[in-house]
Amino acid sequence: MIQINRTITFLLVLVMVVSCNTPSEKKQETAQKLLANIADKELSGVKQTLVVFNSQTNNHQATLFAFEKTLQGWDQVFDEIPAGIGKNGFAPTGEKVEGDGKSPSGIFALGNLFTYLDSVDTQMPFQTTTADDKWIDDPESESYNCFVQGETDAKSYENLLLKSDAYKFCMVIEYNTKPVVKGKGSAIFFHLNKTGNESTAGCVAITEENMLRVLKWLNPESNPHIIMGNSNEILSEFNP
């Protein structure tokens, strides 16, 4: 009887070990599920995708996964990457507004890269940032959510050349750009932070080490996009 009980206990423990995924595995499964729900409907012609999500709506700590389209489906490129998003988490789709401290939710193209360097190991288009480079965040300006060089009559804007390294690599996330809607949010970038967990004003930020890996991988011919949002809200919105 003792031997039978030991056998039963061993089998129960084995089942529990097999069935319980690690937090990392659960995040990976979530990312793959998000991509599977969205891909056929929204990602025609897209072969590279970043998926950035959190599990708690107001949490600024998110997770980034990179996927590439192959003949067999979507393959994960890197292990999970810690990412910082808006200090107030993600805004639900369509509800992002200027100054809310939230990152927008949705599917967006990845655009031009600004960098402090003269050369970057990437195939993505980039330009070296100068002290004249600005991004307008004044909702009343005709140049709202646009890049400008030199003088501007906008009441507020972001300098793209900072004293910090935050914008050393700063890629435009094409949110609210085509068309621009006044007051719906501006200057949403994919840029750097020091630890991967620091909050932003509404952007997505990762460490420089991870950014260099992502930039080397990205290819404009693959039409790279980024999927952003709270995992539960995205799954609900794009539930097939």
Side-chain angles (χ1 to χ4, degrees):
M1 179 65 70
I2 293 176
Q3 182 62 39
I4 293 175
N5 287 339
R6 286 177 177 172
T7 301
I8 293 174
T9 301
F10 173 78
L11 290 173
L12 288 173
V13 170
L14 182 62
V15 169
M16 291 176 66
V17 169
V18 171
S19 62
C20 293
N21 293 337
T22 66
S24 180
E25 290 171 334
K26 289 181 179 178
K27 288 180 181 179
Q28 181 179 341
E29 288 179 0
T30 299
Q32 290 172 330
K33 189 173 183 180
L34 292 172
L35 191 55
N37 279 22
I38 293 171
D40 291 341
K41 300 178 182 178
E42 305 289 339
L43 295 178
S44 176
V46 175
K47 296 182 179 179
Q48 290 183 329
T49 305
L50 301 180
V51 181
V52 183
F53 65 92
N54 65 7
S55 56
Q56 297 179 332
T57 304
N58 296 325
N59 192 346
H60 74 266
Q61 296 182 351
T63 303
L64 181 150
F65 286 91
F67 292 91
E68 187 153 26
K69 186 71 174 293
T70 68
L71 294 176
Q72 290 71 40
W74 288 95
D75 289 348
Q76 183 178 325
V77 180
F78 309 117
D79 292 336
E80 68 174 84
I81 295 175
I85 59 169
K87 63 182 180 180
N88 295 320
F90 283 110
T93 302
E95 296 184 20
K96 165 71 182 170
V97 294
E98 188 70 41
D100 61 3
K102 297 181 180 182
S103 295
S105 297
I107 304 167
F108 314 109
L110 293 173
N112 192 47
L113 171 67
F114 295 93
T115 176
Y116 300 173
L117 306 180
D118 292 327
S119 64
V120 183
D121 187 8
T122 185
Q123 298 178 74
M124 296 295 286
F126 69 89
Q127 67 186 75
T128 301
T129 316
T130 74
D132 289 331
D133 294 343
K134 304 174 180 67
W135 200 278
I136 307 302
D137 58 14
D138 173 10
E140 301 304 317
S141 172
E142 291 300 317
S143 300
Y144 178 64
N145 200 30
C146 292
F147 167 69
V148 300
Q149 284 185 309
E151 297 296 324
T152 175
D153 58 2
K155 294 179 180 178
S156 63
Y157 54 82
E158 287 199 33
N159 289 306
L160 297 182
L161 184 61
L162 305 176
K163 293 181 179 179
S164 74
D165 281 345
Y167 288 175
K168 181 178 179 180
F169 300 103
C170 178
M171 180 175 288
V172 178
I173 294 174
E174 298 285 359
Y175 165 75
N176 193 29
T177 58
K178 299 175 183 178
V180 175
V181 179
K182 298 272 185 83
K184 294 298 287 183
S186 61
I188 305 301
F189 302 133
F190 180 39
H191 65 80
L192 301 184
N193 62 17
K194 292 182 179 179
T195 66
N197 292 320
E198 300 160 67
S199 65
T200 72
C203 301
V204 176
I206 61 176
T207 65
E208 183 170 352
E209 177 184 4
N210 285 323
M211 178 65 79
L212 291 172
R213 295 164 65 203
V214 173
L215 291 178
K216 186 173 183 178
W217 166 68
L218 287 174
N219 185 338
E221 293 184 0
S222 296
N223 191 18
H225 277 57
I226 185 169
I227 298 169
M228 301 166 52
N230 173 264
S231 57
N232 293 326
E233 291 181 356
I234 294 177
L235 287 172
S236 175
E237 181 176 356
F238 291 97
N239 189 37

